[in-house]
Amino acid sequence: MRTFPSTVDVAIVGSGPCGAAYARILSETRPHLRLATFEAGPLLADPPGVHVKNIADPAARERAQRRSEGPGGPGRGRPGTFVLGGEELPAAAMSSNVGGMGAHWTAACPRPGGSERIGFLPDLDDLLDEAERLLAVSAHAFDDAPFAAEVRKRLAAAFDPGRSEERRVRPMPLAVRCAPDGSLTWSGADVVFGEATRRNERHTLFPEALVTRVLVADGRAAGVLVRDLRDGGEHEVRAARVVVAADALRTPQLLWASGVRPPALGRYLNDQPQVVFAVRLRDAGSLETDPRGRSRIVRQSGVSWVPFTDAEPFHGQVMQLDASPVPLAPDDVPAPGSIVGLGWFCAKDVRAADRVAFDDTARDGYGMPAMRIHYRLTSRDEAALEAARTAVRRAASALGDPLDEEPITLPPGSSLHYQGTVRMGRSDDGTSVCDPSSRVWGVDGLHVAGNGVIPTATACNPTLTSVALAVAGARHIARTLPAGA
Ligand code: FAD
């Protein structure tokens, strides 16, 4: 039987990149605090939170993905995820494992721009800098990919006119390191935890430990109730601060289960409507190919970014596909790296009516209140999707020859970027759940973290932003938590 502490200073729920950011900042700035991170899913590999793409053995990697797919239910999503089920957001998915979705992600880390930015955070750029440090983001991992410059030149001709310098076509910042021999190490929560957390003897990570309730007494968080999923034992852990970083669907679920039910909880749910297309690069045969012959994985054309602007409110990413998604003729073997995938994300028309609601009479696979999604694309969303299809066709014809007649519009939920459900606001006016330091209105000592905190309609991948918001929350705890609280 495992021993759980009876008291810690800070209890963190969820070990994805955002929970890990709290552990890291507090380990660096307040090394004497006692910290515990509780994670419902299993430990996949060492170091804790490692990205599964870094697991060399394919069978071990597949096993790690299967072990991340939750307690059973409606079915699998993308490898490493399981779907929630339901008709209104059919592709909504989660991951349950040490590292969360951050063990399975693509690691694209663009900065938000224009209306994606959170206007009431004056230090947003400083927080994004810090998030880039924690995630080890680089825009140079694929500098030597032979097709990359050509891809960007063609995209720039189509999209750059009229854009400000920092919103022009550029390499996608990625949370990945490239060794001199060309091998890649993808950042997962392990990189966010970093040595500072791993070396911190006062931090303990508990895998397979489901938090079923945040304990609240006299208007303040007093700790968490943890179920040890290995033996079913229940443990009460007292804490001076509680951070719930349990993804955008399960963070509001845990607050609901704990009786913390502000009016905006679960509302303003938004997922980024998404359009995809595949293209064969024009004249790829005449472009130089990778002399090192390691072209199987994204070495030829890298990952390029067409940033969001208010005038063109889409986030575009263009990356080499390992294989063509569309069957080609048997004698048609494309030059390595010459097929690129285009993904165009839209910003949702954010509405309070779009929400995850919870059922006190039905339970999910973990025994938590069952989720029901209410979600609809508005006429503005349909218009945005139509404009995105036009933009993606423009990008495709700049690059080469589309493999399909029309771009494909993915089912709602496919972006895996769910936001808004515990959104941040400037004041407690019923349209937000937490303040700019991610403190839940009306419950002292309770923080929320993850994409659910983002209040704006973003089209860009959200993790860099949500880790930045976690940095702000962690710094607030570091500043305000008395020693020996
Ligand atoms: P998560 O990583 O989801 O972690 C939450 C953790 O909380 C989970 O491990 C869960 O098991 C745990 N938990 C939940 N409830 C409880 C409970 N009650 N008790 C204890 N633990 C609990 N984002 C990008 O920005 N760029 C990308 O390129 C990108 N690509 C992606 C590709 C894929 C295939 C996937 C799956 C995701 C992608 N994402 C991407 C999304 C990205 O992974 C998430 O934004 C990020 O992981 C969110 O971090 P988080 O810490 O908030 O939540």
Side-chain angles (χ1 to χ4, degrees), residues 181-458:
D181 70 352
S183 61
L184 300 171
T185 309
W186 297 89
S187 298
D190 60 330
V191 170
V192 182
F193 278 126
E195 283 307 316
T197 312
R198 279 188 288 277
R199 273 202 310 265
N200 181 359
E201 289 175 359
R202 292 173 159 252
H203 172 259
T204 314
L205 168 68
F206 294 90
E208 296 170 80
L210 176 78
V211 173
T212 56
R213 208 178 160 81
V214 177
L215 304 169
V216 180
D218 302 326
R220 58 170 309 123
V224 292
L225 198 59
V226 186
R227 182 177 306 142
D228 186 345
L229 297 180
R230 293 180 183 168
D231 62 12
E234 301 274 353
H235 304 270
E236 197 175 294
V237 179
R238 315 294 296 177
R241 299 281 191 278
V242 175
V243 179
V244 184
D247 80 39
L249 298 171
R250 287 178 285 179
T251 293
Q253 179 190 50
L254 180 57
L255 264 57
W256 178 272
S258 310
V260 178
R261 300 178 179 186
L265 189 74
R267 292 187 177 275
Y268 305 96
L269 169 63
N270 64 101
D271 155 69
Q272 299 159 345
Q274 195 185 350
V275 172
V276 294
F277 214 15
V279 171
R280 184 201 297 250
L281 288 181
R282 192 179 306 116
D283 304 327
S286 63
L287 299 170
E288 193 194 335
T289 53
D290 187 342
R292 293 163 303 183
R294 260 186 297 271
S295 55
R296 227 164 45 78
I297 308 176
V298 211
R299 297 302 298 169
Q300 300 288 350
S301 43
V303 186
S304 299
W305 175 28
V306 182
F308 173 99
T309 66
D310 288 338
E312 283 191 286
F314 313 111
H315 164 77
Q317 56 191 53
V318 177
M319 56 204 287
Q320 180 187 323
L321 299 177
D322 289 350
S324 166
V326 185
L328 302 173
D331 58 348
D332 181 2
V333 181
S338 64
I339 306 286
V340 292
L342 293 83
W344 249 243
F345 296 79
C346 306
K348 171 90 175 73
D349 179 15
V350 172
R351 307 178 318 139
D354 294 320
R355 66 191 178 114
V356 52
F358 304 99
D359 190 332
D360 279 326
T361 61
R363 302 275 125 186
D364 70 6
Y366 283 109
M368 300 293 283
M371 299 183 206
R372 310 263 181 258
I373 303 280
H374 304 277
Y375 199 79
R376 195 162 64 69
L377 294 183
T378 65
S379 53
R380 279 173 62 179
D381 291 323
E382 297 296 353
L385 272 168
E386 188 49 42
R389 284 188 285 266
T390 304
V392 93
R393 274 192 218 102
R394 185 150 64 97
S397 54
L399 290 170
D401 308 311
L403 299 186
D404 228 347
E405 293 283 297
E406 287 299 323
I408 299 163
T409 304
L410 296 182
S414 300
S415 77
L416 303 167
H417 304 157
Y418 318 121
Q419 302 166 100
T421 52
V422 285
R423 73 208 289 250
M424 173 181 280
R426 223 196 295 234
S427 64
D428 183 10
D429 60 2
T431 68
S432 60
V433 168
C434 66
D435 77 0
S437 299
S438 301
R439 292 181 299 168
V440 174
W441 300 116
V443 184
D444 284 348
L446 178 58
H447 285 246
V448 281
N451 301 333
V453 175
I454 298 173
T456 48
T458 70

Side-chain angles (χ1 to χ4, degrees), residues 13-20 38-41 78-81 94-110 209-212 245-248 250-251 253-254 317 366 368 415-417 449-451 460-464 466:
V13 186
S15 66
C18 293
F38 302 100
E39 167 54 55
R78 304 253 291 274
T81 71
M94 296 164 274
S95 298
S96 281
N97 52 275
V98 171
M101 274 195 181
H104 310 283
W105 69 326
T106 313
C109 285
L210 176 78
V211 173
T212 56
D247 80 39
R250 287 178 285 179
T251 293
Q253 179 190 50
L254 180 57
Q317 56 191 53
Y366 283 109
M368 300 293 283
S415 77
L416 303 167
H417 304 157
N451 301 333
C460 72
N461 323 63
T463 310
L464 181 77
S466 51

Side-chain angles (χ1 to χ4, degrees), residues 113-137:
S115 60
E116 293 182 308
R117 289 171 62 87
I118 304 164
F120 56 82
L121 291 183
D123 56 348
L124 183 61
D125 287 316
D126 163 51
L127 297 171
L128 291 165
D129 287 346
E130 186 68 342
E132 286 177 348
R133 177 180 75 94
L134 265 48
L135 286 158
V137 174

